[in-house]
Amino acid sequence: MHLFHCPDLLGASVELPEEEAHHATAVLRLAVGTRIGLLDGAGTKAAGEIESASKKGCTVRILERVVLPAERSARIHLAVAPTKQMDRYEWFVEKAVEIGVDRITPLITDRTERGKLRIDRLQRVAISAMKQSQRAWLPRIDELTTVKHLLQEDLAPQRLFGWCEGEHRSLMERYTPSIDTVVLIGPEGDFTPEEAATFRNTGFHAVSIGAARLRTETAALAVCTWISLAQQR
Amino acid sequence: MHLFHCPDLLGASVELPEEEAHHATAVLRLAVGTRIGLLDGAGTKAAGEIESASKKGCTVRILERVVLPAERSARIHLAVAPTKQMDRYEWFVEKAVEIGVDRITPLITDRTERGKLRIDRLQRVAISAMKQSQRAWLPRIDELTTVKHLLQEDLAPQRLFGWCEGEHRSLMERYTPSIDTVVLIGPEGDFTPEEAATFRNTGFHAVSIGAARLRTETAALAVCTWISLAQQR
């Protein structure tokens, strides 16, 4: 059964978002009456039947709805500096969604080179990864955010940042699975000592992520994997 | 300092492998006298100085050698079914080398579709990932191997396989960091019940890897990450 993303699954019948409607009607050419699956990205799965399909759009009659329990006991928020190559960041988003993450913030740091990031593309990558892994949860993906702005937020209580300089306890020692967590991952060249000092002043602890030097997207996914799997132990 | 892979670092001066020599002389145009770093992929790092550089090759005078201690207390062997798209398997190899793995076996299973795999390309991906993460360890990458042939080997004592069918204890519960481990990851469509039975008869335990359905390469990297980081706790 084909799966589609539809943020609003309330009501007796729903309208697919433009891109999903186009995929259903123009690409897959699904006829009226076809049964499809729907995911709202916020924990609800539904089964529906195509009611109308035209160039104007695609409406689906809801046959049943299932609200799923949260997958994890605590939230995972990763703030990750953009990579030089966009495809590495897209890859990270795809894998993080498969493994499990609640929020991704592309982070502008002192040593961040890339000033732009196609958030719409990241959203699409996240949606297709959610469908592929048959998840009903879609993480929030923020616009590019400066360290300054991120730290002004009311962030999760367990605050960690990956840092290669100096000796730190490892993520694996530090991380407590039952507490909402935010982890900061720096760019190539890592965070500056000034940034590290700012993080520490706002309750963040530096952690190491294994012995080897990891690329930004590798470190981010390793953190995501450890944190997500540690909760499902 | 540029890093090069050179399997043989014994002797006062060494010859770079053809591809590395080409990269040093034709691509980077490094002159005689340039200092470079060398990794043998078996735990030795060296510093050297280019002695001769020509179309015929590149010889390097060894200035110092460091033999590094093993990174992990126990070996990690992953046997992973090929993915339909080659680039996903290459991606897995790159990331696994960064995070830490000792041996990768591309595994032919009942439901494996791809019959061929460019092992030479996987080798190149592994070498560049080793250099990038400044590792002195290069995993062994096997030729395509059938389940039957793999099981005839004297495999690591801790034997696990990812399986989506039925209820199993999780990898995170099952895995004991101090013991050499082999983990089998199936193709899209997973292992067949017959394969699972064969694995069990040869001392393998089925494990789950989190709640969600993961792609082959995602499951393989998640396993690699958990096992490698659990050892560095």
Side-chain angles (χ1 to χ4, degrees), chain A residues 71 88 91 94-95 97-99 128-129 131-135 170-173 188 209-215 217-219 221-223 225-230 232-233, chain B residues 71 88 91 94-95 97-99 128-129 131-135 170-173 188 209-215 217-219 221-223 225-230 232-233:
Chain A
E71 283 178 331
R88 292 186 172 272
W91 163 84
E94 175 185 301
K95 296 313 176 196
V97 170
E98 280 186 66
I99 287 163
S128 74
K131 292 188 213 167
Q132 204 282 335
S133 54
Q134 307 192 346
R135 281 281 181 66
S170 71
L171 167 78
M172 301 73 85
E173 272 184 291
E188 201 176 300
I209 306 150
R213 185 174 88 168
L214 303 176
R215 284 195 175 96
E217 77 276 9
T218 315
L221 189 71
V223 167
T225 303
W226 184 267
I227 290 184
S228 180
L229 292 186
Q232 301 175 52
R233 221 159 173 166
Chain B
E71 284 178 331
R88 291 185 172 273
W91 163 83
E94 174 185 301
K95 296 311 174 197
V97 170
E98 280 185 65
I99 287 162
S128 73
K131 292 189 214 165
Q132 203 281 336
S133 55
Q134 307 193 347
R135 280 279 180 69
S170 72
L171 167 78
M172 299 72 86
E173 272 185 292
E188 201 177 304
I209 306 149
R213 186 173 88 168
L214 302 176
R215 284 195 175 94
E217 77 277 8
T218 315
L221 190 71
V223 167
T225 303
W226 183 268
I227 290 184
S228 181
L229 293 185
Q232 301 174 52
R233 221 159 173 166

Side-chain angles (χ1 to χ4, degrees), chain A residues 25-94:
Chain A
T25 57
V27 181
L28 299 170
R29 300 175 177 282
L30 301 181
V32 168
T34 310
R35 249 184 109 109
I36 61 172
L38 299 157
L39 304 167
D40 73 349
T44 299
K45 278 189 181 187
E49 195 175 81
I50 295 181
E51 232 171 13
S52 72
S54 72
K55 286 203 179 68
K56 288 202 202 70
C58 179
T59 61
V60 181
R61 190 163 59 85
I62 300 297
L63 301 171
E64 62 178 322
R65 248 183 230 92
V66 187
V67 178
L68 300 169
E71 283 178 331
R72 287 178 298 281
S73 51
R75 292 175 56 80
I76 302 173
H77 176 191
L78 300 173
V80 181
T83 52
K84 279 185 197 158
Q85 292 151 286
M86 178 68 179
D87 62 343
R88 292 186 172 272
Y89 209 87
E90 290 177 5
W91 163 84
F92 153 66
V93 168
E94 175 185 301

Side-chain angles (χ1 to χ4, degrees), chain A residues 40-41 59 108 119 145 150 159 164 189 195 203 224 227:
Chain A
D40 73 349
T59 61
I108 301 173
I119 303 301
T145 305
L150 184 71
R159 304 177 180 185
C164 298
E195 285 174 318
C224 183
I227 290 184

Side-chain angles (χ1 to χ4, degrees), chain B residues 126-155:
Chain B
I127 287 170
S128 73
M130 172 182 71
K131 292 189 214 165
Q132 203 281 336
S133 55
Q134 307 193 347
R135 280 279 180 69
W137 304 92
L138 193 65
R140 163 178 163 191
I141 300 179
D142 300 325
E143 293 295 323
L144 270 167
T145 306
T146 61
V147 166
K148 184 161 172 289
H149 277 86
L150 184 71
L151 296 185
Q152 283 165 358
E153 279 190 42
D154 178 19
L155 296 167

